[in-house]
Amino acid sequence: MPPALIPAADLRNGCLRAAIFSMLENLTVIHRLESERPRVHVPSMELERFFMSCLRPQALLHKRIGWSKARGAKKLQTFEDYLGIREP
């Protein structure tokens, strides 16, 4: 994922999540009934791996655009919450 997506992303809807899911290797599409929309299951380890792969590029981008470490950390925490990643 290009690092510019996180600072520019609108996290109020599922669009970024759908784009991220399209890049993941390990996910399951669940069809229960034809009348229901399909659901996607992504193992938490897969989301955590993806998030960790974003950290270094994001830190570099934040530095280039002049964000403080605190502002960058807050944005990354928001992104982590958006993905549904919880600390153990």
Side-chain angles (χ1 to χ4, degrees):
M1 174 167 98
L5 281 181
I6 295 173
D10 181 354
L11 303 182
R12 295 173 293 176
N13 59 48
C15 293
L16 179 60
R17 189 177 293 110
I20 291 168
F21 285 2
S22 73
M23 292 184 272
L24 300 178
E25 294 179 24
N26 186 9
L27 60 87
T28 304
V29 178
I30 302 168
H31 296 274
R32 295 185 193 251
L33 301 172
E34 286 190 35
S35 61
E36 291 182 0
R37 294 172 59 181
R39 298 182 186 261
V40 176
H41 171 74
V42 179
S44 60
M45 291 295 289
E46 184 74 8
L47 284 175
E48 290 170 16
R49 181 200 59 75
F50 176 81
F51 179 77
M52 296 303 290
S53 74
C54 292
L55 292 180
R56 185 174 181 89
Q58 284 301 289
L60 293 172
L61 178 65
H62 295 164
K63 185 175 182 176
R64 289 187 74 189
I65 61 178
W67 283 7
S68 67
K69 288 184 181 182
R71 184 174 181 186
K74 184 177 179 181
K75 190 68 168 182
L76 287 169
Q77 180 62 55
T78 301
F79 180 59
E80 187 177 26
D81 292 343
Y82 175 80
L83 291 177
I85 299 171
R86 304 288 181 246
E87 291 186 19

Coordinates of all heavy atoms in Angstrom, one line a residue:
M1 N 0.8 -1.2 0.0 CA 0.0 0.0 0.0 C 0.9 1.2 0.0 O 1.8 1.3 0.8 CB -0.9 0.0 1.2 CG -1.7 1.3 1.4 SD -3.0 1.1 2.6 CE -2.2 1.9 4.0
P2 N 0.7 2.2 -0.9 CA 1.4 3.4 -0.9 C 1.2 4.1 0.4 O 0.1 4.2 0.9 CB 0.9 4.2 -2.0 CG 0.2 3.2 -2.9 CD -0.3 2.1 -2.0
P3 N 2.3 4.7 1.1 CA 2.1 5.3 2.3 C 1.2 6.5 2.3 O 0.6 6.8 3.3 CB 3.5 5.8 2.7 CG 4.4 5.3 1.7 CD 3.6 4.6 0.6
A4 N 0.9 7.1 1.2 CA 0.1 8.3 1.1 C -1.4 7.9 1.4 O -2.2 8.8 1.7 CB 0.2 9.0 -0.2
L5 N -1.7 6.7 1.3 CA -3.1 6.3 1.6 C -3.6 6.6 3.0 O -4.7 7.0 3.2 CB -3.4 4.9 1.2 CG -3.5 4.5 -0.3 CD1 -3.8 3.0 -0.4 CD2 -4.6 5.3 -0.9
I6 N -2.8 6.4 4.0 CA -3.2 6.5 5.3 C -3.5 7.9 5.7 O -4.6 8.3 6.2 CB -2.3 5.8 6.3 CG1 -2.3 4.3 6.1 CG2 -2.7 6.1 7.8 CD1 -1.3 3.5 6.8
P7 N -2.6 8.9 5.5 CA -2.9 10.3 5.8 C -4.1 10.8 5.0 O -4.8 11.7 5.5 CB -1.7 11.1 5.5 CG -0.6 10.1 5.6 CD -1.2 8.8 5.1
A8 N -4.2 10.4 3.8 CA -5.3 10.9 2.9 C -6.6 10.2 3.0 O -7.6 10.6 2.4 CB -4.8 10.9 1.4
A9 N -6.6 9.1 3.7 CA -7.8 8.2 3.7 C -8.9 8.7 4.5 O -8.7 9.3 5.6 CB -7.4 6.8 4.2
D10 N -10.1 8.5 4.1 CA -11.3 8.8 4.9 C -11.7 7.5 5.6 O -12.1 6.5 5.0 CB -12.5 9.2 3.9 CG -13.7 9.5 4.6 OD1 -13.8 9.3 5.9 OD2 -14.7 10.0 4.0
L11 N -11.5 7.5 6.9 CA -11.7 6.3 7.7 C -13.1 6.2 8.3 O -13.4 5.4 9.1 CB -10.7 6.2 8.9 CG -9.2 6.3 8.4 CD1 -8.3 6.2 9.7 CD2 -8.9 5.2 7.4
R12 N -14.0 7.0 7.7 CA -15.4 7.0 8.2 C -16.3 5.9 7.5 O -17.4 5.7 7.8 CB -16.1 8.4 8.0 CG -15.4 9.4 8.9 CD -16.0 10.8 8.5 NE -15.5 11.1 7.2 CZ -15.9 12.2 6.5 NH1 -16.7 13.1 7.1 NH2 -15.5 12.5 5.3
N13 N -15.7 5.3 6.5 CA -16.4 4.2 5.7 C -15.5 3.1 5.5 O -14.3 3.1 5.9 CB -17.0 4.8 4.4 CG -16.0 5.4 3.5 OD1 -15.0 4.7 3.3 ND2 -16.2 6.5 3.0
G14 N -16.0 2.1 4.8 CA -15.2 0.9 4.6 C -14.4 0.8 3.3 O -13.8 -0.2 3.0
C15 N -14.3 1.9 2.6 CA -13.6 1.9 1.3 C -12.1 1.5 1.4 O -11.6 0.7 0.7 CB -13.7 3.3 0.6 SG -15.4 3.6 0.1
L16 N -11.4 2.1 2.4 CA -10.0 1.8 2.5 C -9.8 0.3 3.0 O -9.0 -0.4 2.5 CB -9.3 2.7 3.5 CG -7.8 2.4 3.8 CD1 -7.0 2.5 2.5 CD2 -7.2 3.3 4.8
R17 N -10.7 -0.1 3.8 CA -10.7 -1.5 4.3 C -10.8 -2.5 3.1 O -10.1 -3.4 3.0 CB -11.8 -1.7 5.3 CG -11.7 -3.1 6.0 CD -12.7 -3.3 7.1 NE -12.5 -2.4 8.2 CZ -13.3 -1.3 8.6 NH1 -14.4 -1.0 7.8 NH2 -13.0 -0.6 9.6
A18 N -11.7 -2.2 2.2 CA -11.9 -3.0 1.0 C -10.7 -3.0 0.2 O -10.3 -4.1 -0.3 CB -13.1 -2.5 0.2
A19 N -10.0 -1.9 0.0 CA -8.8 -1.8 -0.8 C -7.7 -2.6 -0.1 O -6.9 -3.4 -0.8 CB -8.3 -0.4 -0.9
I20 N -7.6 -2.5 1.2 CA -6.6 -3.3 2.0 C -6.9 -4.8 1.8 O -6.0 -5.6 1.6 CB -6.6 -2.9 3.4 CG1 -6.0 -1.5 3.5 CG2 -5.8 -3.8 4.3 CD1 -6.2 -0.8 4.9
F21 N -8.1 -5.2 2.0 CA -8.5 -6.6 1.9 C -8.1 -7.2 0.5 O -7.7 -8.3 0.4 CB -10.0 -6.8 2.2 CG -10.4 -6.7 3.6 CD1 -9.4 -6.4 4.6 CD2 -11.7 -6.9 4.0 CE1 -9.8 -6.3 5.9 CE2 -12.1 -6.8 5.3 CZ -11.1 -6.5 6.3
S22 N -8.2 -6.3 -0.5 CA -7.8 -6.9 -1.8 C -6.3 -7.2 -2.0 O -5.9 -7.9 -2.9 CB -8.3 -5.8 -2.9 OG -7.4 -4.7 -2.9
M23 N -5.5 -6.6 -1.1 CA -4.1 -6.9 -1.1 C -3.6 -8.0 -0.2 O -2.5 -8.4 -0.2 CB -3.3 -5.6 -0.7 CG -3.5 -4.5 -1.7 SD -2.5 -3.0 -1.2 CE -3.7 -2.2 -0.2
L24 N -4.5 -8.5 0.7 CA -4.1 -9.5 1.7 C -4.1 -10.9 1.0 O -4.9 -11.2 0.1 CB -5.1 -9.5 2.9 CG -5.1 -8.2 3.7 CD1 -6.1 -8.3 4.8 CD2 -3.7 -7.8 4.2
E25 N -3.2 -11.7 1.5 CA -3.1 -13.1 1.0 C -4.1 -14.0 1.7 O -4.5 -15.0 1.1 CB -1.7 -13.6 1.1 CG -0.7 -12.8 0.3 CD 0.7 -13.3 0.4 OE1 0.9 -14.5 0.8 OE2 1.6 -12.5 0.2
N26 N -4.4 -13.8 2.9 CA -5.1 -14.8 3.7 C -6.4 -14.2 4.2 O -6.5 -13.5 5.2 CB -4.2 -15.2 4.9 CG -4.8 -16.3 5.7 OD1 -5.8 -16.9 5.3 ND2 -4.3 -16.6 6.8
L27 N -7.5 -14.4 3.4 CA -8.8 -14.0 3.9 C -9.8 -15.0 3.3 O -9.6 -15.8 2.4 CB -9.2 -12.6 3.4 CG -9.2 -12.3 1.9 CD1 -10.6 -12.6 1.4 CD2 -8.9 -10.8 1.8
T28 N -11.0 -15.0 4.0 CA -12.0 -16.0 3.6 C -13.3 -15.2 3.3 O -13.7 -14.4 4.2 CB -12.3 -17.0 4.7 OG1 -11.1 -17.6 5.1 CG2 -13.3 -18.0 4.4
V29 N -13.9 -15.5 2.2 CA -15.2 -14.9 1.9 C -16.3 -15.9 2.3 O -16.2 -17.0 1.9 CB -15.3 -14.5 0.4 CG1 -16.7 -14.0 0.1 CG2 -14.2 -13.6 0.0
I30 N -17.2 -15.4 3.1 CA -18.3 -16.3 3.7 C -19.6 -16.0 3.0 O -20.0 -14.8 3.1 CB -18.3 -16.1 5.2 CG1 -17.0 -16.4 5.9 CG2 -19.4 -17.0 5.8 CD1 -16.9 -16.0 7.3
H31 N -20.2 -17.0 2.4 CA -21.5 -16.8 1.9 C -22.5 -17.7 2.7 O -22.3 -18.9 2.8 CB -21.6 -17.4 0.4 CG -20.8 -16.6 -0.5 ND1 -21.2 -15.5 -1.2 CD2 -19.5 -16.8 -0.9 CE1 -20.2 -15.0 -2.0 NE2 -19.2 -15.8 -1.8
R32 N -23.4 -17.1 3.4 CA -24.4 -17.8 4.2 C -25.7 -18.1 3.4 O -26.1 -19.2 3.2 CB -24.6 -17.1 5.5 CG -23.4 -17.1 6.3 CD -23.6 -16.5 7.7 NE -22.4 -16.2 8.3 CZ -21.9 -16.8 9.3 NH1 -22.6 -17.8 9.9 NH2 -20.7 -16.5 9.8
L33 N -26.3 -17.1 3.0 CA -27.5 -17.2 2.2 C -27.4 -16.3 1.0 O -26.7 -15.3 1.0 CB -28.8 -16.7 3.1 CG -29.0 -17.4 4.4 CD1 -30.1 -16.7 5.1 CD2 -29.5 -18.8 4.1
E34 N -28.0 -16.7 0.0 CA -27.9 -15.9 -1.3 C -28.5 -14.5 -1.1 O -28.2 -13.5 -1.7 CB -28.6 -16.6 -2.4 CG -27.8 -17.7 -2.9 CD -28.3 -18.3 -4.2 OE1 -28.8 -17.5 -5.1 OE2 -28.2 -19.5 -4.4
S35 N -29.5 -14.3 -0.1 CA -30.1 -13.0 0.1 C -29.2 -12.1 0.9 O -29.5 -10.9 1.0 CB -31.5 -13.2 0.8 OG -31.3 -13.9 2.0
E36 N -28.2 -12.6 1.6 CA -27.3 -11.8 2.4 C -26.1 -11.4 1.6 O -25.6 -12.1 0.7 CB -26.9 -12.6 3.6 CG -28.0 -12.8 4.6 CD -27.4 -13.5 5.9 OE1 -26.2 -13.8 5.9 OE2 -28.3 -13.8 6.7
R37 N -25.5 -10.3 2.0 CA -24.2 -9.9 1.4 C -23.1 -10.8 1.9 O -23.2 -11.2 3.1 CB -23.9 -8.4 1.8 CG -24.9 -7.5 1.2 CD -24.8 -6.1 1.7 NE -23.4 -5.5 1.4 CZ -23.0 -4.3 1.8 NH1 -23.9 -3.6 2.5 NH2 -21.8 -3.9 1.5
P38 N -22.2 -11.1 1.1 CA -21.0 -11.9 1.6 C -20.3 -11.2 2.7 O -20.2 -9.9 2.7 CB -20.2 -12.1 0.3 CG -20.9 -11.5 -0.8 CD -22.0 -10.7 -0.3
R39 N -19.7 -11.9 3.5 CA -18.8 -11.3 4.6 C -17.4 -11.8 4.4 O -17.2 -12.8 3.8 CB -19.3 -11.8 6.0 CG -20.7 -11.3 6.3 CD -21.1 -11.8 7.7 NE -22.5 -11.5 7.9 CZ -22.9 -10.4 8.6 NH1 -22.0 -9.6 9.1 NH2 -24.2 -10.2 8.8
V40 N -16.5 -11.0 4.9 CA -15.1 -11.3 4.7 C -14.5 -11.5 6.1 O -14.7 -10.7 7.0 CB -14.3 -10.2 4.0 CG1 -12.8 -10.5 3.9 CG2 -14.9 -10.0 2.6
H41 N -13.8 -12.6 6.3 CA -13.1 -12.9 7.5 C -11.6 -12.8 7.2 O -11.1 -13.5 6.3 CB -13.4 -14.3 8.1 CG -12.5 -14.7 9.2 ND1 -12.7 -14.1 10.5 CD2 -11.5 -15.5 9.3 CE1 -11.7 -14.6 11.3 NE2 -11.0 -15.4 10.6
V42 N -10.9 -12.0 8.0 CA -9.4 -11.8 7.9 C -8.8 -12.2 9.3 O -9.2 -11.6 10.3 CB -9.0 -10.4 7.5 CG1 -7.5 -10.3 7.4 CG2 -9.7 -10.0 6.2
P43 N -7.9 -13.2 9.3 CA -7.3 -13.5 10.6 C -6.6 -12.3 11.2 O -6.0 -11.5 10.4 CB -6.3 -14.6 10.2 CG -6.8 -15.2 9.0 CD -7.5 -14.0 8.2
S44 N -6.7 -12.1 12.5 CA -6.1 -10.9 13.1 C -4.6 -10.9 12.9 O -4.0 -9.8 12.7 CB -6.4 -10.9 14.6 OG -5.9 -12.1 15.2
M45 N -3.9 -12.0 12.8 CA -2.5 -12.0 12.5 C -2.2 -11.4 11.1 O -1.2 -10.7 10.9 CB -1.9 -13.4 12.6 CG -1.9 -14.0 14.0 SD -0.8 -13.1 15.1 CE 0.7 -13.6 14.5
E46 N -3.1 -11.6 10.2 CA -2.9 -11.0 8.8 C -3.0 -9.5 8.9 O -2.2 -8.8 8.2 CB -3.9 -11.6 7.9 CG -3.7 -11.2 6.4 CD -2.6 -11.8 5.7 OE1 -1.9 -12.7 6.3 OE2 -2.3 -11.4 4.6
L47 N -4.0 -9.0 9.6 CA -4.2 -7.6 9.7 C -3.0 -7.0 10.5 O -2.5 -5.9 10.1 CB -5.5 -7.2 10.4 CG -6.7 -7.4 9.6 CD1 -8.0 -7.1 10.5 CD2 -6.7 -6.4 8.4
E48 N -2.5 -7.6 11.5 CA -1.4 -7.1 12.3 C -0.1 -7.1 11.4 O 0.6 -6.1 11.5 CB -1.2 -8.0 13.5 CG -2.2 -7.8 14.6 CD -2.1 -8.8 15.7 OE1 -1.1 -9.5 15.8 OE2 -3.1 -9.0 16.4
R49 N 0.1 -8.1 10.6 CA 1.2 -8.2 9.7 C 1.2 -7.0 8.7 O 2.1 -6.3 8.5 CB 1.3 -9.5 8.9 CG 2.5 -9.6 8.0 CD 2.2 -10.6 6.9 NE 1.1 -10.4 6.0 CZ 1.0 -9.4 5.1 NH1 2.0 -8.7 4.8 NH2 -0.1 -9.3 4.4
F50 N 0.0 -6.8 8.2 CA -0.2 -5.6 7.2 C 0.1 -4.3 7.9 O 0.8 -3.5 7.4 CB -1.6 -5.6 6.7 CG -1.9 -4.5 5.8 CD1 -1.4 -4.5 4.5 CD2 -2.5 -3.3 6.3 CE1 -1.6 -3.3 3.6 CE2 -2.7 -2.2 5.5 CZ -2.3 -2.2 4.2
F51 N -0.5 -4.1 9.1 CA -0.3 -2.9 9.9 C 1.2 -2.7 10.1 O 1.8 -1.6 9.9 CB -1.1 -2.9 11.2 CG -0.9 -1.7 12.0 CD1 -1.5 -0.5 11.7 CD2 -0.1 -1.7 13.1 CE1 -1.4 0.7 12.4 CE2 0.1 -0.5 13.9 CZ -0.5 0.6 13.5
M52 N 1.9 -3.7 10.6 CA 3.3 -3.6 10.9 C 4.1 -3.2 9.6 O 5.1 -2.5 9.7 CB 3.9 -4.9 11.5 CG 3.2 -5.2 12.9 SD 3.4 -3.9 14.1 CE 5.2 -4.0 14.4
S53 N 3.7 -3.7 8.5 CA 4.4 -3.4 7.3 C 4.2 -1.9 6.9 O 5.0 -1.4 6.1 CB 4.0 -4.3 6.1 OG 2.7 -4.0 5.6
C54 N 3.2 -1.3 7.4 CA 3.0 0.1 7.1 C 3.7 1.1 8.0 O 3.9 2.3 7.6 CB 1.5 0.4 7.3 SG 0.4 -0.4 6.1
L55 N 4.2 0.6 9.1 CA 4.8 1.5 10.1 C 6.0 2.3 9.6 O 6.0 3.5 9.7 CB 5.2 0.8 11.4 CG 4.0 0.2 12.2 CD1 4.5 -0.5 13.4 CD2 3.0 1.3 12.5
R56 N 7.0 1.7 9.0 CA 8.2 2.4 8.6 C 7.9 3.4 7.4 O 8.3 4.5 7.5 CB 9.3 1.4 8.2 CG 10.6 2.0 7.8 CD 11.7 1.0 7.6 NE 12.9 1.6 7.3 CZ 13.8 2.0 8.1 NH1 13.6 1.8 9.4 NH2 14.9 2.6 7.7
P57 N 7.2 2.9 6.4 CA 6.8 3.9 5.3 C 6.0 5.1 5.9 O 6.2 6.2 5.4 CB 6.0 3.1 4.3 CG 6.4 1.7 4.6 CD 6.7 1.6 6.0
Q58 N 5.1 4.8 6.8 CA 4.3 5.9 7.4 C 5.2 6.9 8.2 O 5.1 8.1 8.0 CB 3.2 5.4 8.3 CG 2.1 4.8 7.5 CD 1.4 5.8 6.6 OE1 0.8 6.7 7.0 NE2 1.7 5.6 5.3
A59 N 6.1 6.4 9.0 CA 7.0 7.2 9.7 C 7.9 8.1 8.8 O 8.0 9.3 9.1 CB 8.0 6.4 10.6
L60 N 8.3 7.6 7.7 CA 9.1 8.3 6.7 C 8.2 9.4 6.1 O 8.7 10.6 5.9 CB 9.7 7.4 5.7 CG 10.8 6.5 6.2 CD1 11.2 5.5 5.0 CD2 12.0 7.2 6.6
L61 N 7.0 9.1 5.7 CA 6.1 10.0 5.1 C 5.8 11.1 6.1 O 5.8 12.3 5.8 CB 4.8 9.4 4.6 CG 3.8 10.3 4.0 CD1 4.4 10.9 2.8 CD2 2.5 9.6 3.8
H62 N 5.5 10.8 7.3 CA 5.1 11.8 8.4 C 6.2 12.8 8.5 O 6.0 14.0 8.6 CB 4.8 11.1 9.7 CG 3.6 10.2 9.7 ND1 3.3 9.3 10.6 CD2 2.6 10.1 8.7 CE1 2.2 8.7 10.3 NE2 1.7 9.2 9.2
K63 N 7.5 12.3 8.5 CA 8.6 13.2 8.7 C 8.7 14.1 7.5 O 8.9 15.3 7.6 CB 9.9 12.3 8.8 CG 11.1 13.1 9.0 CD 12.3 12.3 9.3 CE 13.5 13.1 9.6 NZ 14.7 12.3 9.9
R64 N 8.5 13.6 6.3 CA 8.6 14.4 5.0 C 7.5 15.5 5.0 O 7.8 16.6 4.4 CB 8.5 13.5 3.8 CG 9.8 12.7 3.6 CD 9.7 11.9 2.3 NE 10.0 12.9 1.2 CZ 9.9 12.6 0.0 NH1 9.5 11.4 -0.4 NH2 10.1 13.6 -0.9
I65 N 6.4 15.2 5.5 CA 5.3 16.2 5.4 C 5.3 17.1 6.7 O 4.4 17.9 6.8 CB 3.9 15.6 5.2 CG1 3.5 14.6 6.3 CG2 3.9 14.9 3.8 CD1 2.1 14.0 6.1
G66 N 6.2 16.9 7.6 CA 6.4 17.8 8.7 C 5.5 17.5 9.9 O 5.3 18.4 10.8
W67 N 5.0 16.3 10.0 CA 4.2 16.0 11.2 C 5.1 15.6 12.3 O 6.1 15.1 12.2 CB 3.3 14.7 10.9 CG 2.1 15.0 10.0 CD1 1.8 16.1 9.4 CD2 1.1 14.0 9.7 NE1 0.6 16.0 8.7 CE2 0.1 14.7 8.9 CE3 0.9 12.7 10.1 CZ2 -1.0 14.1 8.4 CZ3 -0.3 12.1 9.6 CH2 -1.2 12.8 8.8
S68 N 4.6 16.0 13.5 CA 5.3 15.6 14.7 C 5.1 14.1 15.0 O 4.2 13.5 14.4 CB 4.8 16.4 15.9 OG 3.4 15.9 16.2
K69 N 6.0 13.5 15.8 CA 5.8 12.1 16.1 C 4.5 11.9 16.8 O 3.9 10.8 16.6 CB 7.0 11.6 17.0 CG 8.3 11.5 16.3 CD 9.4 11.0 17.2 CE 10.7 10.9 16.4 NZ 11.8 10.4 17.2
A70 N 4.1 12.8 17.6 CA 2.8 12.6 18.3 C 1.6 12.6 17.3 O 0.7 11.8 17.5 CB 2.6 13.7 19.4
R71 N 1.7 13.5 16.4 CA 0.6 13.5 15.4 C 0.6 12.2 14.5 O -0.5 11.7 14.3 CB 0.7 14.7 14.5 CG -0.4 14.9 13.5 CD -0.3 16.1 12.7 NE -1.5 16.2 11.8 CZ -1.6 17.2 10.9 NH1 -0.7 18.1 10.8 NH2 -2.7 17.1 10.1
G72 N 1.8 11.8 14.1 CA 1.9 10.6 13.4 C 1.4 9.4 14.2 O 0.7 8.5 13.7
A73 N 1.8 9.3 15.4 CA 1.4 8.2 16.3 C -0.2 8.2 16.5 O -0.8 7.1 16.4 CB 2.0 8.3 17.7
K74 N -0.8 9.4 16.6 CA -2.2 9.5 16.7 C -2.9 9.0 15.5 O -3.9 8.2 15.5 CB -2.6 10.9 17.0 CG -4.1 11.1 17.3 CD -4.5 12.5 17.6 CE -6.0 12.6 17.9 NZ -6.4 14.0 18.2
K75 N -2.4 9.4 14.3 CA -3.0 8.9 13.0 C -2.8 7.4 12.9 O -3.8 6.7 12.5 CB -2.3 9.6 11.9 CG -3.0 9.4 10.6 CD -4.4 10.1 10.5 CE -4.9 10.1 9.1 NZ -6.2 10.8 9.0
L76 N -1.7 6.8 13.3 CA -1.5 5.4 13.2 C -2.4 4.7 14.2 O -2.9 3.6 13.8 CB 0.0 5.0 13.4 CG 0.9 5.4 12.3 CD1 2.3 5.2 12.7 CD2 0.6 4.5 11.1
Q77 N -2.6 5.2 15.3 CA -3.6 4.6 16.3 C -5.0 4.6 15.7 O -5.7 3.6 15.9 CB -3.5 5.4 17.6 CG -4.5 4.8 18.7 CD -4.1 3.3 19.1 OE1 -3.0 3.1 19.4 NE2 -5.0 2.4 18.9
T78 N -5.4 5.7 15.1 CA -6.7 5.7 14.4 C -6.8 4.7 13.4 O -7.8 4.0 13.2 CB -6.9 7.1 13.9 OG1 -6.8 8.1 14.9 CG2 -8.3 7.2 13.2
F79 N -5.7 4.5 12.6 CA -5.7 3.5 11.5 C -5.8 2.1 12.1 O -6.5 1.2 11.6 CB -4.5 3.7 10.7 CG -4.3 2.7 9.5 CD1 -5.3 2.6 8.6 CD2 -3.2 1.9 9.5 CE1 -5.2 1.7 7.5 CE2 -3.1 1.0 8.4 CZ -4.1 0.9 7.4
E80 N -5.1 1.9 13.2 CA -5.1 0.6 13.9 C -6.5 0.3 14.4 O -7.0 -0.8 14.2 CB -4.1 0.6 15.1 CG -3.9 -0.7 15.7 CD -2.8 -0.6 16.8 OE1 -2.6 0.4 17.4 OE2 -2.3 -1.7 17.1
D81 N -7.1 1.3 15.0 CA -8.5 1.1 15.4 C -9.5 0.8 14.3 O -10.4 0.0 14.4 CB -9.0 2.3 16.2 CG -8.3 2.6 17.5 OD1 -7.7 1.6 18.0 OD2 -8.4 3.7 18.0
Y82 N -9.3 1.5 13.1 CA -10.1 1.3 11.9 C -10.0 -0.1 11.5 O -11.0 -0.7 11.1 CB -9.6 2.3 10.9 CG -10.2 2.1 9.5 CD1 -11.5 2.6 9.2 CD2 -9.6 1.4 8.5 CE1 -12.1 2.5 8.0 CE2 -10.1 1.3 7.2 CZ -11.4 1.8 7.0 OH -11.9 1.7 5.7
L83 N -8.8 -0.7 11.5 CA -8.6 -2.1 11.1 C -9.1 -3.1 12.1 O -9.3 -4.3 11.8 CB -7.1 -2.4 10.8 CG -6.5 -1.7 9.6 CD1 -5.0 -2.0 9.5 CD2 -7.2 -2.1 8.3
G84 N -9.4 -2.7 13.3 CA -9.9 -3.6 14.4 C -8.8 -4.4 15.1 O -9.0 -5.4 15.6
I85 N -7.6 -3.8 15.0 CA -6.4 -4.5 15.7 C -6.4 -4.1 17.1 O -6.4 -2.9 17.5 CB -5.1 -4.1 15.0 CG1 -5.1 -4.5 13.5 CG2 -3.9 -4.8 15.7 CD1 -4.0 -4.0 12.7
R86 N -6.4 -5.1 18.0 CA -6.4 -4.9 19.4 C -5.0 -5.4 20.0 O -4.5 -6.4 19.6 CB -7.5 -5.6 20.1 CG -8.9 -5.3 19.6 CD -9.3 -3.9 20.0 NE -10.6 -3.6 19.5 CZ -10.9 -2.7 18.5 NH1 -9.9 -2.0 18.0 NH2 -12.1 -2.5 18.1
E87 N -4.5 -4.6 21.0 CA -3.3 -5.0 21.7 C -3.7 -6.2 22.6 O -4.7 -6.2 23.2 CB -2.7 -3.9 22.5 CG -2.2 -2.8 21.6 CD -1.4 -1.7 22.4 OE1 -1.1 -2.0 23.5 OE2 -1.3 -0.6 21.9
P88 N -2.7 -7.1 22.8 CA -3.0 -8.3 23.6 C -3.0 -7.9 25.1 O -2.6 -6.9 25.5 CB -1.8 -9.2 23.4 CG -0.7 -8.4 22.7 CD -1.4 -7.2 22.1

